[in-house]
Amino acid sequence: MNRTKSSLFDFAANADTTRTLWRPGALMGVALVAGLLLSGCKAQDAPEEAPTVTVQVGAAENQPIQLKVIADAILYPLDQAAIVPKVIAPIKKFYVVRGSTVKAGQLLAELENQDLAGALEKSQGGHQQAQATYDMQVQKVVQDAKLAKQTLESAQKLYDSRQKLYKEGAISAKDVEDANVALTQARNADELAQKQFDLKVAEAQMNAAKGDMASAAAQVSYTKIVSPIDGVVTDRPNYAGETPAAGAPLITVMDLSHVVARAHVAQLDAAHLKAGDEASISVPGLGPALKGRVTLVSPALDPNSTTVEVWVQTANPGGRLKPGVSAHVTMVGQTVPHAIVAPAAALLTATDGVTSMIVLDTDNKPHKQKVAVGIRDGGDIQITDGLKGGERVVTVGAFELDKMDDMSKVIIQVQAPKMPEEEEE
């Protein structure tokens, strides 16, 4: 550059040349040449600037992490009884209203039962008559059996006596034969009396009457509607005097002390869950989530959705959660108490499946580090190999850095993450 300037001034110092330079056209040419020479010098002297990349970073921390399965669910009561009357009759009286708290076995309503009560009285009379007939028959059978036994004993004595007399020659053989025939007849009568055929017939008649009475009593009992469970009356669609439709529930009782959230989750997620796992249930607008437990992981797939039904149960103090409401369930399938946890946004996955992250050193120099991953928890991921606690990883801008040929020459500008309200603006 100095040599160029000297040449230029030497040229201008020449007298003949000086007169030429002051010509209007020549002066513009000299200025143009000088400008080009000066600009060329500046281009050669200026160093090449390193590119600047603005990134956001997160930290790899030593902390617990949980594998969570989150799903939508529908709330159901712990237990429910939609009570359908077994007989069709007008409603005589209700003893509860919607919202009534009831106990198992408590009388809830009565149906009209005059006709059934009459049938019960008739069957009771038939049973009493059959019982009396049976008792009389028992007495008769006992007497007949006693008489037959006495007759047999007498015939046996007569036969023994005549045999003795026959041997002494006091009577004929015909007398002995007559006594033997009488003995045989008495023995047959005794055997018949012991079988008590008449008593069995009377007993069968009595049992049939007893069955009729029990059936009539059951029909009457069906007109008294009692609760099979502890709970709350949630539905009572009819009024006294109405006849409920066949097959329609007269009263519905639900046990709302606990609720069960039934969710359908993917097969892979369900494989991490088992009965007893920690869980929580939340309903939008109803405050903090309630802690619960997984109580059921269905052993079979839903044939329509090919998902697995999972139940989560939680206490329901004050009936805060209502059956039929949509809810969110969060189930904890696995907990690692001591783990290296990094933002999942920092993870890079190559086409061959290799995972890595861009790590910044203390001088904000980036380098690519292969990592092995474990479980995920929302926006966090467990790093099982490749990172140490406290290292900084690039979350926003990592993809841009990964595409560069030599990221070591890049100037990193760390930007604070935007707040949610700033993003909305």
Side-chain angles (χ1 to χ4, degrees), residues 213-246:
M213 182 182 67
S215 177
Q219 293 294 313
V220 173
S221 70
Y222 294 154
T223 64
K224 297 182 182 297
I225 310 302
V226 298
S227 177
I229 61 171
D230 295 345
V232 177
V233 176
T234 58
D235 194 17
R236 203 203 75 178
N238 299 104
Y239 294 93
E242 295 181 336
T243 301

Side-chain angles (χ1 to χ4, degrees), residues 340-360:
I340 302 298
V341 180
L347 188 67
L348 300 171
T349 304
T351 55
D352 58 359
V354 175
T355 52
S356 60
M357 289 185 175
I358 305 299
V359 181
L360 295 184

Side-chain angles (χ1 to χ4, degrees), residues 75-327:
L75 298 185
Y76 290 82
L78 178 63
D79 199 0
Q80 175 177 325
I83 306 171
V84 178
K86 294 184 178 181
V87 295
I88 300 177
I91 301 168
K92 181 179 180 180
K93 187 177 182 180
F94 278 114
Y95 296 98
V96 293
V97 295
R98 287 188 180 183
S100 297
T101 301
V102 299
K103 296 291 184 180
Q106 180 177 334
L107 182 63
L108 307 180
E110 284 188 271
L111 305 179
E112 298 290 351
N113 61 1
Q114 290 88 340
D115 54 341
L116 297 176
L120 175 59
E121 289 184 8
K122 182 179 179 180
S123 64
Q124 288 174 336
H127 176 259
Q128 291 173 354
Q129 183 178 2
Q131 182 71 51
T133 301
Y134 175 77
D135 293 340
M136 293 174 60
Q137 196 67 38
V138 168
Q139 294 178 0
K140 180 178 181 301
V141 167
V142 170
Q143 292 175 355
D144 290 346
K146 183 177 180 181
L147 179 60
K149 186 175 182 180
Q150 291 174 349
T151 302
L152 176 60
E153 292 174 351
S154 298
Q156 184 68 49
K157 290 179 179 179
L158 178 61
Y159 176 73
D160 294 341
S161 175
R162 287 190 178 184
Q163 269 195 331
K164 183 178 180 182
L165 292 174
Y166 175 74
K167 290 179 180 179
E168 295 175 352
I171 60 174
S172 65
K174 184 178 181 303
D175 292 333
V176 175
E177 183 64 26
D178 291 341
N180 186 36
V181 171
L183 177 60
T184 302
Q185 291 174 345
R187 185 178 290 115
N188 292 336
D190 180 66
E191 292 178 356
L192 188 63
Q194 297 303 324
K195 290 182 179 179
Q196 302 177 349
F197 287 117
D198 294 338
L199 183 61
K200 291 182 178 180
V201 171
E203 184 179 5
Q205 292 174 344
M206 183 190 66
N207 289 336
K210 184 178 180 181
D212 291 341
M213 182 182 67
S215 177
Q219 293 294 313
V220 173
S221 70
Y222 294 154
T223 64
K224 297 182 182 297
I225 310 302
V226 298
S227 177
I229 61 171
D230 295 345
V232 177
V233 176
T234 58
D235 194 17
R236 203 203 75 178
N238 299 104
Y239 294 93
E242 295 181 336
T243 301
L250 179 65
I251 294 176
T252 299
V253 179
M254 293 183 181
D255 183 354
L256 300 179
S257 61
H258 292 72
V259 292
V260 177
R262 302 182 185 180
H264 287 80
V265 303
Q267 302 176 47
L268 293 178
D269 291 335
H272 298 291
L273 300 174
K274 63 182 182 303
D277 285 344
E278 294 181 7
S280 63
I281 300 175
S282 63
V283 175
L286 291 184
L290 295 177
K291 293 182 179 180
R293 294 278 179 182
V294 174
T295 57
L296 172 70
V297 179
S298 177
L301 295 179
D302 185 309
N304 297 320
S305 62
T306 64
T307 56
V308 178
E309 187 173 29
V310 180
W311 292 9
V312 175
Q313 180 177 320
T314 185
N316 187 26
R320 169 183 157 195
L321 302 180
K322 307 298 183 184
V325 171
S326 297

Side-chain angles (χ1 to χ4, degrees), residues 42-58:
K42 291 181 180 180
Q44 292 177 4
D45 291 345
E48 184 179 354
E49 294 185 0
T52 299
V53 177
T54 301
V55 300
Q56 294 179 11
V57 300

Side-chain angles (χ1 to χ4, degrees), residues 358-414:
I358 305 299
V359 181
L360 295 184
D361 62 16
T362 56
D363 296 325
N364 281 350
K365 293 297 183 181
H367 68 275
K368 189 173 183 179
Q369 177 66 45
K370 289 184 180 180
V371 296
V373 299
I375 63 177
R376 296 173 182 255
D377 180 12
D380 294 330
I381 189 168
Q382 178 193 9
I383 304 301
T384 58
D385 186 37
L387 286 183
K388 295 181 295 184
E391 290 189 292
R392 295 182 302 159
V393 293
V394 177
T395 55
V396 177
F399 182 74
E400 181 180 357
L401 289 172
D402 188 40
K403 294 177 64 177
M404 293 184 173
D405 295 331
D406 186 2
M407 69 176 70
S408 63
K409 298 180 179 180
V410 174
I411 298 175
I412 297 296
Q413 181 177 349
V414 179

